[in-house]
Amino acid sequence: QVQLVESGGGLVQAGGSLRLSCAASGRTWSTYTMGWFRQAPGKERDFVGAISWSGANTYYADSVKGRFTISRDKAKNTVYLQMDSLKPEDTAVYYCAPARREGWDPSHTMMSDFHSWGQGTQVTVSS
């Protein structure tokens, strides 16, 4: 059974940093693009960014570009989200998920392009 577990969330002051982890078990997703999404209270789940299976390609939502960095360790079957210069509007539950299809396609930014969601990890940024 596939399982994705996000961790690393917490409470941080504005301007601070956090690094989230997404560990996959049950099977390997090393040939799939991995995405990060976030959902604030009362809002839809929004795309944050994604990384190709090789780790050589990444793309990000405009709202986090230049502040967030995604990386992956294929040997550990883990994807990371480094978040710097955090803002109160970054407060949300953060989720990771693999793309439905193998290959690299930066147009894939919808929830429907990804699947097998983890339980999420809460990030709260205080002003």
Side-chain angles (χ1 to χ4, degrees):
Q1 183 177 356
V2 174
Q3 187 174 18
L4 294 169
V5 178
E6 300 94 339
S7 62
L11 174 64
V12 63
Q13 288 188 333
S17 299
L18 281 175
R19 188 176 83 152
L20 307 184
S21 299
C22 170
S25 62
R27 66 161 289 177
T28 179
W29 296 107
S30 62
T31 59
Y32 287 79
T33 293
M34 294 294 293
W36 281 97
F37 285 71
R38 66 185 181 185
Q39 188 167 17
K43 296 187 177 181
E44 296 183 349
R45 193 170 298 186
D46 292 330
F47 175 78
V48 173
I51 187 167
S52 63
W53 69 269
S54 68
N57 299 294
T58 54
Y59 59 100
Y60 301 92
D62 288 343
S63 58
V64 306
K65 200 173 295 183
R67 299 188 298 121
F68 290 11
T69 304
I70 300 174
S71 60
R72 71 189 302 169
D73 185 331
K74 294 175 67 176
K76 295 182 178 179
N77 219 13
T78 300
V79 179
Y80 303 98
L81 178 64
Q82 176 67 41
M83 305 185 296
D84 299 317
S85 302
L86 282 162
K87 305 175 181 179
E89 51 263 44
D90 294 319
T91 294
V93 178
Y94 284 71
Y95 301 87
C96 67
R100 289 190 178 276
R101 299 180 179 180
E102 291 183 282
W104 173 245
D105 189 342
S107 70
H108 288 175
T109 62
M110 305 293 290
M111 280 187 63
S112 57
D113 296 320
F114 297 82
H115 69 113
S116 299
W117 301 90
Q119 86 291 343
T121 184
Q122 176 71 48
V123 171
T124 303
V125 184
S126 63
S127 57

